[in-house]
Structures are given as C-alpha cells and as structure tokens.
Amino acid sequence: MNDKANKIAYAVFALAVILLGWQVDNEYYLQLMIFIGLNTLLALSLNMLMGYAGQISLGHAAFYGIGAYVTAILTTTYQVAPLLALPAAVGTAMLVAWFVGIPTLRLSGYYLGMGTLGFGMIVHIVFREWSSLTGGASGFVGIPPLEIGPVVFASGKNYFFLVWSVVMLCLIMCRRIIDSRVGRALRSIHDGEKAAAAVGVDTKKLKLQVFVLSAGMAALAGFLYAHLVYFISPGTFSFVASIRIVTMVVIGGMASIWGALLGASLLTLLPEWLHAFSEFEMVVYGLILMSVMIFLPRGLTRGVLDVYERYRKSHER
Amino acid sequence: MSDNSHLLEIKDIHKAFGGVQALCDIDFDLEKDAITGLIGPNGAGKTTLFNVITGVFPADRGEIRLAGQSVNNRAVHERVELGIARTFQNVELFENMTVLENILVGLHTRTRCGMIDSILKFPRIRREEKQARKRAAELLEFVDLADYAPRRSSDLPFGWQRLVEVARAMAAAPRLLLLDEPAAGLNMSETRRLGDLIHQIRDQGITILLVEHDMSLTMSISDKIVVLDQGRKIAEDTPRAVQSDEAVMAAYLGKAQH
Ligand SMILES: Nc1ncnc2c1ncn2[C@@H]1O[C@H](COP(=O)(O)OP(=O)(O)OP(=O)(O)O)[C@@H](O)[C@H]1O
Ligand SMILES: [Mg+2]
C-alpha cells in the first residue's frame, strides 16, 4: 500500500515537473524553480543525516561549496570537461566528509553541532583566503556552461529539466535507502544509539556512511549551481547558508522526503516575496526554527497531517 | 581449549565507577542450553555485568569468553554478530518505528543489504527483504503480538513492549540471550506466559542468563542461580540450595532493613 502511494507520488511529481518545464517560458520563473531544485537537493541531503540518522550538521554549506569550487577550478583553471569534473567534485566532498566525519561523528548532540559549525567556518575561510586558487572574496568568474555531448545546458529550460531529473533520481535513491535495511538501521540510531548497537548495528560506520553520502549530494548541488551561474563567491557557502539548509529541513519536517521539497520551496520563494527579507534573514530563520520547534515539532508536512488526524478523530467520537 | 559445555565464561571480572566497585572478581560459567538466574539486591551489579558481557563498556580486569573465544576486544555490534543478544531493564525499543520495524532492525546482523545495494535493489536484496519480513512476522507470532505489527512500538502497553524487545533480541539468532528483568511491569498471567516463552527459547538451543526480581519465576525456571551482592558473587548453586543459603538470606534481609 505504501509502495503504491509512493509510486503515485513520483508519477504526480514527474508530471508536474514536465508540465512546468514545458509550459513556463519566463526565464525568471524557470530560474526560480531551478533554485528550488538545488535547494531541494541540499535539504534532502541534510535530511538523510539530520532527519533520519539524527545527526545535526551546522556546516553543510561547506560541502555545497566544495562541489562548486572543485568544478570551478577544474573546468576553468584546468580546462577539464565538466562531466569529468563532476566525479571529482562529488568525490572530493565525500573524501573530506570521510576525514572530518571520523573524529566529528564521535561527538553527539550540541558537540556535533559545534564540530560541524567549526568545520563549515574553516572551509568558508579557505574559499575566501586562498585567493590564488579560489579567487578569494571577490569570487570565481568565468565558469563554463555544462555540456553533455552535443547538448549545452545554457538555457533556463534545459537546466530546469537537468536539475529536476537529478532531484527526481536523488529522491528515489533516498527513498530506497530509507525503506531498506540500511534506512531502518539509520532510524534506529536516531531513536537510541545504545539500543541500535545492542541489536548489532555498527553505528559508527553507518553514521560515517550517511555523512559521506549526504556530503556527496550537497556537492552535486554545488556542481550544478556553479555551472548554472558561472560565478561563485564564498558568501554563498557561509554559515548563513548552512542555517538556511537546516531551516528547510526543519520546516519540511525531519525524516520526510517530500518535506525537503516543501522546505526548499518555501525558503527559496520567501526572499523573493519579501524584499526586506535579506536584511533580516537570520532573524527570520531563527523565528521560523523556534516556532516550528514549539508548535509543529514534526515539521509542517507532518504537523498539518497530525492536526488533521486529531481533527478527524475528535469528530468520529 | 575450554570445556565445551560452557557457552560463556566470565573470568575474574572487575569494574569500578569512580569509587563504586560495581563488580569485583566475578567468576562463573554459563552452561550451554541452560537457564541461569542472576539475582541480587538493587545495585548489586547485575545490569553492569550485562553491560560488560555485551561490551557496552570494558571491564577493568578479567575476560569474557564465548564458546572458548575471548570477546574482550569486540565492539557491541560484533558481539551481537557472534551470538550475544540482550534486552534492557528500561525497555529500549525504537519508539518512532513500528513493532515490525523494530524486529526488522533486530535482524540487522542476519541480513546483508548495504547502502549501494539498497539503491540498486538487486533481486537478491528484494529476496532478502522478503525473507526478513517473513522471519519478523514469525517472531511476532512467537510472542503473540502479530496483530500489532504495524503499530508504533511506543503505543503498546509497557509489558508488551518487553515482549517486543525479547522478539527483537531473538531476531539476531543469538546463542546467548541476556534478559534484564523481563517480568517487570507484567501481571501474573503475563509473567506465567513469559516463563513459558523463556522455556521455549531455551528449547531452541539458546542459552539464557536471566536477571529477575520475581523470585517465583526465577526459581521455577532456572537451572542454576548466581547471587550477587554489592559487586561480589556470594552464591552459585541450584535454586533450592540458594533459597536456604545463609549468605543470600543475609544479603536480602540486610538490604530490607535499610
Ligand atoms: N554507568 C554507570 N556509571 C556510574 N555508576 C554506575 C553505572 N552503572 C551502574 N553504576 C553503579 O554500579 C552499581 C551497580 O549497578 P547496577 O545497575 O549494575 O545494579 P543492578 O544489580 O542492576 O541493580 P537493579 O536491581 O536496581 O537494577 C550501582 O551502585 C550503580 O549506581
Ligand atoms: Mg539492573
């Protein structure tokens, strides 16, 4: 039953993507939807770590940045074909995650938050200060567009379909992991690390694996971002960006795949609707995080479902 | 080589927490396919011994041997793989997961699907998943909770959660099962049923170490009783002999007077 509902959800989702991509010609709207796609990837990647495995990361933008900078440097400075730079970008982030994860994931709760926060800041400083490689604070210019065979992904429409196909693949990938033996073990860590170990889950290894996977997905988003805008700068991958990703996950609901889509959509559209937003960005995130935690601890998606459920039950009686 | 009728050998175990000597010179063996009762007043060190056997923390001194092999250097999850499963005194189910999912996690060491496998979903993986679900259903049938498979585990009454925990531990296909006060929170008929269940588990060739404050249950189903008091073993004998042991009576009476 669940499986069937899943398939229907995918079908509806795919249809919506195709329809939107086909009907919308306005470059601004296409661009907006592409950004929703990228943010969905980021939220999804963090959700695997935070929502399912229960491990907080306040430095996730670092992996997003690594993906973007590695491809920028390879394709621009070294003229490597973007398609070859892709595995390098994703692989570098995964490798970094692996090294950072070994000591960091021993930490838990607030300490893990502090550890990942520190890591994110260090990476941000590297982007800003290692000017000869990254272009420093003024950013990296002249990143080439993505070419796959004869197709150049330069128009909004092309890119829209590319990004959303990737989102779709990642959604399916995450769903499959969650529904498997591995996903159950991840969720068991969230519910109780001690008990998880006591039933035979290698909690250290699994936390590291999901951290690496999550970093890889964030780097994929970074790669797509770099070849979308042709120009990247350290500010995009700062602490604020990490908090933005956390907020998306919390709004959409921890441990909810479709929630990632919702959280990403809201946080992409909000700054567009509210022009004063950028000045108060951190304040708004703070408020959102606080109110969701207080009123809808399971996120908007689940929260609304819970309220509906309660309403229905009270009317049955 | 050690005597192969002993599944677990607990050798000279010491464990202190700061100034508290929780375990001191604990030494006994578990007979294969037998039920050994481990009793003692509150704070005697029973749960601590479970934690040492399962590897939650290392002993300060001494050795745990399973089927003649030292497991001292094995992590908790590796010991499960080797055949040591347990339940917790304060029920530790995965409360956001269903009863069925809890059992499925219990099957973790007996299934193989990795992260890449789960994404690619080979036929082998589908088969494994199907078998796991079948086995989990059998285990729920065994503890008579099949009807509750899709319920969130935290929705069940406390006593039933204990049974789910037993089934989850059984899922690991253990050689040795450590039960920490499984009857706490059960009513009399449930306790009787638990006694039957423990017998059936033993009859499947699983060795049992049982910590339990319900004396009538412990005395009636155990083949041997080990008594701890303040971290020391003060008796090891048949249930009948232990009941008339003076040191044991003194330990329990002494506690009662506090
Ligand atoms: N993790 C720990 N840290 C510090 N002290 C501990 C720890 N675990 C147990 N102790 C102490 O070790 C002693 C033995 O505790 P333990 O829980 O093993 O007793 P028990 O026999 O299981 O008692 P009960 O019947 O109440 O469950 C107690 O004094 C307890 O306070
Ligand atoms: Mg205890």
Side-chain angles (χ1 to χ4, degrees):
Chain A
M1 177 212 114
N2 224 336
D3 216 34
K4 203 168 166 190
N6 247 331
K7 286 204 173 112
I8 294 174
Y10 287 138
V12 170
F13 174 67
L15 213 66
V17 167
I18 292 170
L19 266 174
L20 282 170
W22 183 27
Q23 289 299 321
V24 176
D25 287 314
N26 181 319
E27 281 292 323
Y28 168 74
Y29 287 129
L30 282 171
Q31 189 86 353
L32 212 54
M33 288 190 290
I34 291 170
F35 274 108
I36 292 178
L38 294 179
N39 283 333
T40 302
L41 280 180
L42 289 173
L44 195 57
S45 79
L46 186 61
N47 208 346
M48 291 299 281
L49 185 69
M50 216 169 97
Y52 289 98
Q55 311 298 310
I56 195 159
S57 167
L58 298 179
H60 220 57
F63 298 117
Y64 184 38
I66 290 172
Y69 272 99
V70 168
T71 192
I73 294 163
L74 286 179
T75 54
T76 316
T77 317
Y78 297 99
Q79 311 277 311
V80 176
L83 214 51
L84 291 177
L86 174 61
V90 172
T92 307
M94 290 171 95
L95 204 64
V96 171
W98 194 71
F99 277 112
V100 173
I102 288 174
T104 319
L105 292 173
R106 282 172 188 271
L107 308 173
S108 63
Y110 303 116
Y111 297 103
L112 180 61
M114 296 311 270
T116 48
L117 177 75
F119 162 72
M121 288 186 160
I122 291 169
V123 171
H124 180 235
I125 291 171
V126 170
F127 292 156
R128 211 181 51 210
E129 301 302 326
W130 196 350
S131 314
S132 59
L133 197 67
T134 65
S138 52
F140 196 111
V141 284
I143 302 167
L146 204 53
E147 280 175 53
I148 299 177
V151 189
V152 182
F153 290 90
S155 81
K157 244 181 215 230
N158 269 346
Y159 224 86
F160 173 90
F161 282 115
L162 175 70
V163 165
W164 282 96
S165 311
V166 172
V167 171
M168 182 84 182
L169 280 177
C170 286
L171 274 170
I172 293 175
M173 186 181 84
C174 288
R175 183 82 256 168
R176 285 190 169 190
I177 294 175
I178 295 308
D179 288 341
S180 75
R181 164 180 182 266
V182 182
R184 286 190 296 260
L186 275 178
R187 288 159 59 208
S188 78
I189 294 178
H190 194 175
D191 276 4
E193 198 161 342
K194 193 170 105 187
V199 297
V201 175
D202 187 346
T203 54
K204 264 190 227 153
K205 184 174 136 197
L206 198 58
K207 283 197 292 187
L208 190 60
Q209 271 187 357
V210 72
F211 190 55
V212 168
L213 171 90
S214 172
M217 272 174 66
L220 177 61
F223 170 88
L224 290 170
Y225 172 75
H227 293 287
L228 171 71
V229 296
Y230 314 139
F231 164 80
I232 55 176
S233 66
T236 313
F237 314 109
S238 65
F239 171 62
V240 183
S242 292
I243 296 300
R244 189 183 301 130
I245 307 173
V246 172
T247 314
M248 289 178 209
V249 173
V250 172
I251 290 185
M254 304 263 205
S256 155
I257 287 210
W258 298 105
L261 179 64
L262 178 76
S265 306
L266 281 178
L267 280 212
T268 314
L269 296 174
L270 213 60
E272 295 298 320
W273 292 336
L274 298 171
H275 284 288
F277 186 83
S278 57
E279 285 180 47
F280 304 107
E281 201 177 357
M282 281 307 260
V283 181
V284 176
Y285 293 156
L287 286 176
I288 291 177
L289 283 174
M290 257 170 55
S291 29
V292 170
M293 296 287 190
I294 295 171
F295 299 112
L296 299 170
R298 306 213 291 155
L300 263 187
T301 340
R302 300 268 187 101
V304 169
L305 283 178
D306 285 351
V307 170
Y308 169 73
E309 193 73 2
R310 235 174 295 152
Y311 170 83
R312 216 195 54 189
K313 272 189 187 157
S314 71
H315 275 245
E316 268 171 14
R317 278 185 205 129
Chain B
M1 274 309 289
S2 55
D3 186 343
N4 60 11
S5 74
H6 292 154
L7 181 68
L8 191 83
E9 296 158 74
I10 299 162
K11 293 202 170 305
D12 191 23
I13 292 292
H14 286 248
K15 179 74 199 177
F17 297 107
V20 181
Q21 191 69 42
L23 292 174
C24 184
D25 200 13
I26 302 299
D27 204 299
F28 63 92
D29 298 335
L30 297 188
E31 200 85 28
K32 216 185 202 121
D33 301 347
I35 299 173
T36 305
L38 180 64
I39 64 171
N42 291 111
K46 304 176 297 285
T47 299
T48 304
L49 185 59
F50 270 26
N51 285 333
V52 168
I53 295 172
T54 54
V56 173
F57 36 63
D60 300 334
R61 210 167 82 201
E63 195 179 33
I64 303 290
R65 295 167 74 86
L66 180 73
Q69 301 282 326
S70 171
V71 294
N72 272 31
N73 299 320
R74 303 295 189 139
V76 178
H77 66 94
E78 290 175 314
R79 295 187 198 198
V80 181
E81 187 124 27
L82 290 172
I84 303 179
R86 77 176 292 180
T87 66
F88 290 91
Q89 186 170 348
N90 312 304
V91 180
E92 307 247 2
L93 285 180
F94 306 119
E95 52 182 30
N96 290 309
M97 301 173 79
T98 64
V99 170
L100 180 74
E101 285 172 328
N102 267 273
I103 312 295
L104 287 169
V105 181
L107 284 160
H108 192 82
T109 53
R110 303 299 160 215
T111 37
R112 283 288 149 263
C113 167
M115 202 168 274
I116 310 278
D117 299 324
S118 70
I119 298 168
L120 299 178
K121 247 183 167 175
F122 297 118
R124 170 172 59 85
I125 297 304
R126 289 173 195 269
R127 261 201 312 277
E128 182 185 271
E129 179 74 15
K130 214 167 139 192
Q131 269 161 12
R133 283 175 184 272
K134 190 163 150 251
R135 177 71 187 133
E138 282 168 15
L139 284 160
L140 282 177
E141 197 73 53
F142 178 63
V143 293
D144 215 2
L145 287 175
D147 291 345
Y148 298 87
R151 297 281 282 274
R152 246 168 75 121
S153 64
S154 54
D155 291 344
L156 261 55
F158 195 65
W160 297 6
Q161 292 189 23
R162 287 203 176 281
L163 294 177
V164 176
E165 230 192 12
V166 171
R168 185 179 71 183
M170 291 286 292
R175 286 196 273 179
L176 170 66
L177 180 61
L178 310 176
L179 299 170
D180 202 346
E181 301 195 19
L186 300 195
N187 64 29
M188 259 161 65
S189 73
E190 287 170 339
T191 303
R192 207 168 318 118
R193 228 180 71 206
L194 177 74
D196 288 345
L197 215 58
I198 295 176
H199 265 140
Q200 287 174 38
I201 294 173
R202 195 265 316 270
D203 293 343
Q204 293 174 21
I206 295 170
T207 306
I208 290 168
L209 181 60
L210 168 72
V211 167
E212 186 47 65
H213 281 301
D214 183 326
M215 283 306 145
S216 66
L217 175 69
T218 317
M219 292 300 169
S220 66
I221 66 171
S222 301
D223 299 299
K224 181 176 87 176
I225 303 278
V226 173
V227 189
L228 297 187
D229 183 33
Q230 295 177 28
R232 290 174 187 277
K233 184 178 91 177
I234 58 169
E236 175 179 355
D237 216 323
T238 59
R240 178 178 287 267
V242 160
Q243 275 167 303
S244 52
D245 187 298
E246 271 171 26
V248 175
M249 300 226 270
Y252 273 91
L253 289 176
K255 270 280 173 241
Q257 274 161 9
H258 282 318

